[in-house]
Amino acid sequence: MVPLSFAGHAFMALPEAALYWPAQRALLVADLHFEKASWYARFGQFLPPHDSEATLDVIEALVERTGAQAVLSLGDSFHDAHGAARLDPSARKRLFSLTERLDWTWITGNHDVGVADMPGGRRVAEAQVEGIWLRHEAEADDPRPEISGHFHPKLRLSLRGRHVSRRCFVGSATKLILPALGALTGGLDAGHGEIRRAVGAGAAALVPVADRLLRFPLS
């Protein structure tokens, strides 16, 4: 875990694409996209069918490592409105176990806005914790400190003739965008115009590596 300071609060950035907030004992994750593979299978495109279990593996490991007592999931937790209903019994049991023993908050995203019944926890459109707004998609015109997801940012570099792509955080003075944690999620280049518009001037791609947080300014 690598220290990351934002809006006067101390966080820990995790290379698994999550953020830990020690003062709140809270794990922040975004864009889990549970049941993405089963959604594609309905249309004849077959992806490895274990994406939900793989994503749960990561969440369970992060909860164990950090000692988190709360989880804040920043939207698009399910890939579509019927994703929760398609969870197989094993994944459903594991998810219910997490939401029963942790203070779990689901923030609604554009993909999961129509989910009828979330598996435990509570569901909100957005939340405010210690002066920081938590929502799915950044609101560019809101000057208040904000943590969000939605864009699945990735840093793409060319090093010694090789193209390298890493999930990354994108931060500015008042905005912090989390990478997607879901096993089958793609990504948008961190320097894309939509991301830069959302976070404003002075933004940088942030990559936790070993004991350091690498910063790559986005021009």
Side-chain angles (χ1 to χ4, degrees), residues 1 14 31 35 40 74 80 114 122 152 182 211-212 214 219:
M1 295 189 288
L14 299 153
D31 299 282
E35 292 305 306
Y40 274 97
L74 306 184
D80 66 287
R122 67 178 179 275
H152 307 194
D211 59 349
R212 295 183 298 160
L214 303 182
S219 58

Side-chain angles (χ1 to χ4, degrees), residues 96-113:
F96 264 121
S97 176
L98 287 167
T99 58
E100 285 178 357
R101 67 186 177 91
L102 300 170
D103 182 8
W104 192 292
T105 300
W106 305 100
I107 290 174
T108 302
N110 54 295
H111 273 262
D112 51 22
V113 67

Side-chain angles (χ1 to χ4, degrees), residues 21 24-29 32 69-78 95-96 98-109 112 115-130 132 134:
W21 194 346
Q24 302 297 321
R25 300 200 70 176
L27 182 69
L28 282 71
V29 297
L32 306 177
Q69 295 183 349
V71 172
L72 295 152
S73 185
L74 306 184
D76 285 1
S77 301
F78 288 88
L95 191 49
F96 264 121
L98 287 167
T99 58
E100 285 178 357
R101 67 186 177 91
L102 300 170
D103 182 8
W104 192 292
T105 300
W106 305 100
I107 290 174
T108 302
D112 51 22
V115 175
D117 294 304
M118 285 297 200
R122 67 178 179 275
R123 185 176 183 180
V124 297
E126 60 183 17
Q128 187 266 118
V129 180
E130 293 293 324
I132 298 178
L134 309 175

